[in-house]
């Protein structure tokens, strides 16, 4: 919700609902791990990166806050993934009139990403529906409020999702045939233009969708119905539209943001072979500026619950947004350790919120240095593994990354990424494979390739350890 809500104090009523939900979810049994994300060669993929955005500039200045530096700096930290926010209101300012200038700007950003080996998911972003309510997302011409009231909440703007006019706008987007067609056409325009760009990995079909609470519904009941009865058919419609132009890219689907507090999603089956489940990983207390409380067991609750849907549907998980507003609080070092360990257990990757040069949610300051504790997100990992992964784990105390996988006995190359450190890294391999290089010099980002010996099968163990 950081990217699109809860920038300020969380609403007391909503926080109270979340507090009631979490204990019940914590008692649930853990689900089996979802399947891994794989590429066309069958390699197991891991994505690590950050969101990239410009919510401030519009029209001729849209996306101008995003520069090549964003992708160069992420690459230099060993990262390979970005979630790029784009806005329907900029793409189609008038019905049927698509901005060629905006599309060219997206392509320019993708060119930078490709230059720095960053894979990109195009995120159709909305905050509180769109500009009709002072935010970004769905155009004003596609916003129908039924004349219902809207009151801004500048100190608690996630609460604006519960304003009658905003809830009516979501209902019309989901139910009105002409708006359904307009949304599908918008996605077709994007897919036709971007399908063949080498940086495009996939499309996030809508950011943090919400909807209308009907009479007699509480928030959990409404979220489950919206996901089941409105989001699922919407995702199937958009998937069908995109596939007329792009058969290759992954489709990222999100539940409502209520899942952040351990509420199971009501999403149904998305009829596409390349679907990725892309929930967000936020906590109401921390979004309100509070510290991490390990005793509340929020991370365990979230992990146990969020894995149920992708496990049942047999689709991989990539967490689309996560990270606290204030990373310098006393327990935040513990939070990053716990969160990253949890994400490693069930996800195929993540995008932190947000790579920018400043304060607050920004990953780094103006000098490009990580803010407190966010440097933990830059650690060794394996972007691609040519085999069945048995273990992929980083031990921050020992500063050691360990990858164990079963080689299938055919030629294949795995890739490991290591961020720059003051001492560098040492690489060792056991099993039927060879690695190059075997050392990463101090101060340099390292890409290590592990090649399976021809005709050899068996277990491969790769260890990357900090030198010195």
């Amino acid at each position: 919700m950081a990217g699109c809500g809860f920038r300020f104090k969380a609403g007391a009523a909503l926080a109270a609902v979340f507090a009631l939900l979490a204990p019940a979810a914590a008692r649930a049994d853990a689900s089996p791990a979802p399947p891994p994300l794989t590429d066309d060669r069958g390699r197991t993929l891991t994505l690590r990166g950050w969101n990239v955005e410009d919510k401030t500039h519009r029209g001729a200045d849209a996306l101008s806050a995003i520069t090549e530096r964003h992708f160069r700096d992420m690459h230099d930290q060993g990262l390979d993934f970005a979630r790029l926010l784009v806005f329907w209101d900029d793409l189609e300012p008038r019905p049927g009139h698509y901005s060629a200038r905006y599309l060219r700007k997206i392509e320019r950003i993708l060119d930078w990403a490709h230059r720095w080996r960053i894979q990109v998911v195009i995120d159709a972003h909305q905050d509180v529906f769109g500009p009709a309510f002072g935010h970004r997302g769905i155009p004003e011409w596609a916003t129908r409020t039924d004349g219902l009231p809207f009151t801004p909440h500048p100190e608690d703007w996630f609460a604006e999702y519960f304003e009658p006019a905003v809830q009516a706008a979501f209902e019309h987007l989901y139910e009105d045939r002409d708006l359904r067609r307009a949304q599908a056409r918008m996605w077709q325009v994007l897919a036709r233009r971007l399908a063949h760009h080498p940086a495009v990995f996939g499309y996030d079909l809508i950011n943090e969708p919400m909807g209308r609470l009907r009479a007699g519904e509480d928030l959990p009941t409404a979220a489950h119905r919206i996901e089941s009865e409105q989001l699922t058919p919407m995702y199937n419609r958009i998937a069908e539209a995109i596939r007329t132009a792009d058969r290759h890219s992954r489709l990222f689907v999100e539940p409502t943001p209520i899942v952040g507090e351990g509420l199971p999603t009501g999403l149904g089956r998305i009829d596409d072979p390349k679907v990725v489940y892309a929930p967000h990983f936020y906590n109401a207390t921390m979004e309100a500026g509070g510290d991490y409380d390990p005793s509340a067991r929020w991370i365990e609750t979230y992990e146990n619950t969020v894995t149920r849907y992708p496990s049942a549907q047999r689709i991989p998980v990539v967490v689309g947004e996560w990270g606290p507003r204030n990373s310098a609080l006393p327990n935040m070092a513990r939070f990053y350790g716990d969160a990253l360990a949890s994400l490693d257990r069930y996800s195929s990757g993540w995008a932190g919120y947000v790579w920018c040069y400043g304060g607050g949610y920004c990953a780094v300051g103006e000098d490009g240095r990580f803010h407190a504790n966010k440097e933990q997100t830059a650690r060794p990992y394996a972007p691609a593994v040519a085999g069945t992964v048995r273990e992929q784990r980083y031990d921050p105390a020992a500063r050691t990354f360990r990858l164990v996988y079963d080689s299938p006995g055919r030629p294949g190359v795995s890739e490991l990424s290591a961020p720059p450190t003051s001492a560098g890294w040492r690489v060792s391999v056991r099993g039927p494979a060879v690695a190059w290089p075997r050392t990463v010099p101090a101060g340099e980002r390292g890409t290590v390739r592990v090649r399976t010996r021809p005709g050899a099968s068996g277990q491969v163990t790769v260890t990357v350890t900090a030198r010195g």
Side-chain angles (χ1 to χ4, degrees):
M1 300 175 205
C4 8
F6 280 35
R7 277 190 188 275
F8 306 103
K9 185 176 180 181
L14 191 59
V17 171
F18 286 159
L20 292 171
L21 291 175
R27 291 192 293 269
D29 294 332
S31 298
L37 184 66
T38 58
D39 65 12
D40 293 339
R41 288 181 277 173
R43 298 188 303 173
T44 298
L45 303 181
T46 299
L47 307 175
R48 298 277 178 85
W50 290 79
N51 283 259
V52 177
E53 67 174 30
D54 180 0
K55 294 185 178 183
T56 302
H57 300 97
R58 308 183 185 201
D61 295 326
L63 300 175
S64 59
I66 301 172
T67 68
E68 185 173 359
R69 180 190 179 190
H70 288 70
F71 301 97
R72 182 195 67 211
D73 288 356
M74 282 193 285
H75 169 270
D76 288 350
Q77 291 297 333
L79 302 166
D80 71 345
F81 180 53
R83 180 173 177 262
L84 173 64
L85 279 60
V86 302
F87 299 103
W88 185 1
D89 57 288
D90 264 324
L91 176 61
E92 191 180 1
R94 292 178 291 133
H97 295 267
Y98 300 96
S99 171
R101 176 170 53 194
Y102 193 62
L103 289 166
R104 287 194 299 270
K105 289 187 174 190
I106 294 172
E107 288 177 321
R108 181 180 64 177
I109 290 170
L110 291 172
D111 289 344
W112 292 333
H114 181 57
R115 184 175 303 160
W116 293 103
R117 297 188 63 198
I118 302 291
Q119 301 175 93
V120 177
V121 165
I122 305 295
D123 163 42
H125 208 84
Q126 66 80 29
D127 295 338
V128 193
F129 202 78
F133 307 109
H135 298 276
R136 305 299 310 280
I138 290 87
E140 288 193 65
W141 59 261
T143 304
R144 295 170 183 167
T145 67
D146 298 332
L148 294 171
F150 170 75
T151 301
H153 298 259
E155 297 302 317
D156 180 13
W157 68 270
F158 190 79
E160 293 174 4
Y161 278 108
F162 300 93
E163 285 292 311
V166 175
Q167 297 200 351
F170 275 105
E171 188 85 355
H172 283 291
L173 178 67
Y174 301 145
E175 302 298 336
D176 292 7
R177 290 185 178 180
D178 61 330
L179 294 184
R180 290 179 178 183
R181 288 193 295 268
Q183 186 184 34
R185 285 195 301 269
M186 178 272 293
W187 266 115
Q188 284 178 317
V189 168
L190 279 173
R192 288 191 186 113
R193 185 67 175 255
L194 306 178
H196 300 294
H197 198 289
V200 172
F201 185 83
Y203 309 107
D204 191 331
L205 306 188
I206 187 172
N207 177 74
E208 293 190 353
M210 292 288 281
R212 170 177 275 167
L213 276 72
R214 295 176 182 169
E217 286 184 330
D218 59 13
L219 183 56
T221 302
H224 194 278
R225 174 188 52 77
I226 291 164
E227 290 162 344
S228 174
E229 299 180 10
Q230 294 180 316
L231 296 187
T232 300
M234 179 187 72
Y235 288 146
N236 277 304
R237 288 193 300 271
I238 297 174
E240 184 177 0
I242 289 174
R243 291 310 183 206
T244 64
D246 185 343
R247 307 296 301 180
H248 176 74
S249 300
R250 277 75 169 181
L251 304 182
F252 287 59
V253 299
E254 298 188 31
T256 62
I258 312 307
V259 300
E261 296 300 320
L263 184 70
T265 183
L267 282 177
R269 179 71 181 173
I270 313 302
D271 297 320
D272 191 274
K274 293 191 173 183
V275 172
V276 177
Y277 186 49
H280 292 180
F281 181 34
Y282 290 121
N283 170 266
T285 299
M286 292 165 62
E287 287 298 286
D291 202 356
Y292 173 56
D293 178 6
S295 67
R297 298 185 61 80
W298 163 64
I299 289 177
E300 293 86 346
T301 296
Y302 179 89
E303 180 179 336
N304 288 347
T305 308
V306 81
T307 51
R308 295 183 202 172
Y309 172 75
S311 296
Q313 297 292 332
R314 303 301 302 159
I315 57 176
V317 176
V318 174
V319 171
E321 289 186 22
W322 74 285
R325 178 175 155 200
N326 184 351
S327 66
L329 295 172
N331 289 335
M332 283 300 167
R334 169 75 180 272
F335 165 73
Y336 274 97
D338 290 351
L340 288 163
S342 174
L343 289 164
D344 282 350
R345 285 192 290 270
Y346 69 86
S347 82
S348 290
W350 43 259
Y353 186 83
V354 55
W355 194 275
C356 54
Y357 301 89
Y361 287 105
C362 287
V364 295
E366 293 181 2
D367 60 0
R369 296 179 181 271
F370 278 112
H371 288 304
N373 299 306
K374 294 184 179 183
E375 73 282 353
Q376 292 190 48
T377 61
R379 52 177 59 188
Y381 70 104
V385 179
T388 302
V389 176
R390 300 301 179 190
E391 179 185 349
Q392 182 177 188
R393 185 172 64 88
Y394 179 68
D395 182 344
R399 299 180 67 198
T400 297
F401 172 75
R402 175 181 165 90
L403 169 68
V404 181
Y405 66 95
D406 295 335
S407 170
R410 60 179 181 270
V413 177
S414 300
E415 295 183 10
L416 281 71
S417 177
T421 68
S422 59
W425 301 93
R426 181 176 62 256
V427 181
S428 63
V429 180
R430 287 192 289 112
V434 294
W436 186 87
R438 301 297 290 267
T439 61
V440 177
E444 294 186 14
R445 174 200 193 274
T447 297
V448 178
R449 291 176 173 83
V450 182
R451 185 180 300 275
T452 304
R453 294 192 182 103
S457 62
Q459 193 167 88
V460 177
T461 299
V462 187
T463 305
V464 181
T465 305
R467 302 170 67 186

